[in-house]
């Protein structure tokens, strides 16, 4: 029997490669050989710049932004999984989490003039200040171990009575 649905292989790809693939910047090698290779190279470079910009923004994000990004990624994966189970033509709407407003923190003023310069401090030598370390006392002598008493002799096993002889079989 033939399968009615094509298998859906799920692969993990790096984010930059995923953006390039999804934006259509990646083309077959045959297309790169023609006159459009320069345009394709520029397109790949612009997508790479966008990916780097997104990564820099994500690096500057705070813990709440990281949490929202993780939740968004988990929801997208869940929607993709559930969408794969649905019949063809049925699509689920995307779930969007609310965006946090960007807060610009005020810049700190230059505080370098507030800290006065201190004169260098010279420490006196520690030769006469620190008392000499006392000698380590000798360990006390260990007493000799007492002698082990001799073990008593093993008693003799009493002799067993002789067994009666069995009668001969007829």
């Amino acid at each position: 029997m033939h399968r009615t649905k094509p298998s859906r292989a799920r692969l993990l790809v790096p984010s930059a490669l995923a953006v390039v693939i999804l934006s259509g910047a990646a083309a077959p090698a045959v297309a790169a050989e023609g006159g459009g290779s320069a345009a394709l190279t520029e397109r790949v470079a612009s997508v790479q710049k966008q990916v780097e910009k997104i990564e820099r923004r994500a690096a500057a994000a705070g813990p709440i932004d990281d949490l929202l990004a993780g939740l968004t990624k988990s929801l997208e994966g869940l929607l993709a999984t559930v969408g794969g189970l649905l019949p063809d033509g049925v699509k689920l709407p995307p779930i969007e989490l609310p965006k946090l407003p960007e807060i610009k923190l005020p810049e700190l003023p230059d505080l370098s003039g507030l800290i006065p310069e201190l004169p260098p401090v010279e420490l006196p030598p520690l030769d006469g200040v620190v008392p000499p370390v006392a000698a380590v006392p000798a360990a006390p002598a260990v007493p000799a171990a007492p002698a082990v008493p001799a073990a008593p002799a093993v008693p003799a096993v009493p002799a067993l009575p002789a067994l009666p002889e069995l009668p001969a079989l007829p």
Side-chain angles (χ1 to χ4, degrees):
M1 289 182 66
H2 296 301
R3 294 181 64 129
T4 56
K5 291 184 182 177
S7 67
R8 292 182 175 102
R10 289 178 172 79
L11 301 174
L12 298 173
V13 292
S15 61
L17 181 60
V19 170
V20 169
I21 292 171
L22 294 177
S23 67
V30 177
E33 293 174 2
S37 64
L40 177 65
T41 305
E42 290 175 12
R43 200 165 172 195
V44 169
S46 69
V47 169
Q48 184 64 31
K49 286 180 185 176
Q50 290 175 351
V51 168
E52 290 172 359
K53 185 193 232 180
I54 290 170
E55 288 175 351
R56 280 193 306 259
R57 196 178 323 144
I64 295 177
D65 293 329
D66 292 342
L67 177 67
L68 286 176
L71 286 173
T72 302
K73 189 179 276 186
S74 297
L75 287 174
E76 288 173 356
L78 180 65
L79 280 176
T81 303
V82 172
L85 300 173
L86 295 175
D88 291 335
V90 178
K91 292 187 177 184
L92 296 173
I95 298 174
E96 294 183 14
L97 296 175
K99 304 286 184 211
L100 292 177
E102 288 195 30
I103 299 173
K104 177 117 174 127
L105 296 175
E107 293 186 24
L108 294 175
D110 184 23
L111 301 176
S112 61
L114 295 177
I115 301 173
E117 272 194 48
L118 298 175
V121 177
E122 292 186 28
L123 297 175
L126 298 177
D127 293 337
V129 178
V130 178
V133 178
V136 178
V142 178
V148 178
V154 177
V157 178
L160 294 175
L163 294 175
E165 290 208 21
L166 295 175
L169 291 175

